[in-house]
Amino acid sequence: MIYSIDVRIEAPVRDTEVTDRVADAVRNAFPDAEPVHEDGRLVAEAHTLDAFSDVLHEQEILDTARRVFLRNSADDGFSFSLKKQAAFEGVVNFAVGEPDELGEIDVEVRVREPDVESFVDYVAPETDEGRPVDPAREYGDRFDPDEDDY
C-alpha cells in the first residue's frame, strides 16, 4: 500500500530520568524517528509505522491496537500513548487509564493518504482468532517513504 503520513512523537523527560534512556524508548518503538530534546521533552517525527506494525504482529496485539487507534481517531488521523518503560524494553504497551507518573510517549498520526480507516487496516488489520483477515500488508513488509516528499 502506498500511503502518506506524518507521525509526531512526544515524550516528557522528568528530572529523575536519563534523557538517553527516554530517547532509546522512543527509538525502540519508532526506529525511523530521531528524537530531539526540547523544553523538558523529546520530540520526533516519522513518516512510516511499518516497524511499529511489525511489533504489533509479533506481540499478537493487533485487535488491541486497532481498538485504540479507532477509538482515538478523527477525520485526519489518530493518536495513542505508550508506556515508556515497556517501550524501553522493546515492548508495545498502550497507556490507558491513569497516567503514568513519568508520563507516556504520546503519538499523533496524521494520515494524508489513504483514509484513516484504510491506514488502520494496514497497520493493524482485523483478525479472526488472532490471524489477520485479508491483510493489506504482510508481516515484515516495509515501505520506506521518499524523504524528498516531506
Side-chain angles (χ1 to χ4, degrees):
M1 168 187 277
I2 296 177
Y3 61 84
S4 177
I5 64 167
D6 296 313
V7 182
R8 180 168 174 83
I9 305 151
E10 289 188 27
V13 180
R14 304 289 190 235
D15 293 339
T16 58
E17 293 181 295
V18 177
T19 303
D20 287 344
R21 287 179 59 97
V22 177
D24 287 344
V26 170
R27 280 191 293 267
N28 285 345
F30 306 98
D32 300 312
E34 189 53 48
V36 176
H37 196 264
E38 293 180 3
D39 301 322
R41 65 188 175 168
L42 290 176
V43 177
E45 288 187 8
H47 300 288
T48 179
L49 288 181
D50 287 351
F52 185 75
S53 177
D54 286 348
V55 174
L56 299 177
H57 281 79
E58 288 169 9
Q59 289 183 219
E60 298 179 348
I61 57 171
L62 294 171
D63 292 328
T64 300
R66 203 177 159 71
R67 273 192 304 276
V68 170
F69 297 162
L70 293 174
R71 183 177 344 131
N72 298 304
S73 68
D75 290 340
D76 64 345
F78 59 95
S79 61
F80 58 94
S81 297
L82 301 173
K83 298 285 187 179
K84 281 196 277 187
Q85 184 60 42
F88 180 74
E89 300 294 330
V91 174
V92 171
N93 187 355
F94 291 99
V96 293
E98 292 294 315
D100 194 87
E101 73 179 58
L102 294 177
E104 286 102 14
I105 298 172
D106 295 317
V107 182
E108 290 182 24
V109 181
R110 187 172 145 246
V111 181
R112 291 187 296 226
E113 188 178 324
D115 61 278
V116 173
E117 191 171 333
S118 295
F119 185 70
V120 169
D121 287 344
Y122 176 76
V123 174
E126 288 186 69
T127 67
D128 181 17
E129 295 186 21
R131 297 225 184 271
V133 176
D134 248 357
R137 73 186 283 271
E138 293 297 321
Y139 166 69
D141 284 353
R142 294 282 175 103
F143 169 72
D144 294 319
D146 187 358
E147 286 299 318
D148 295 338
D149 292 341
Y150 299 97

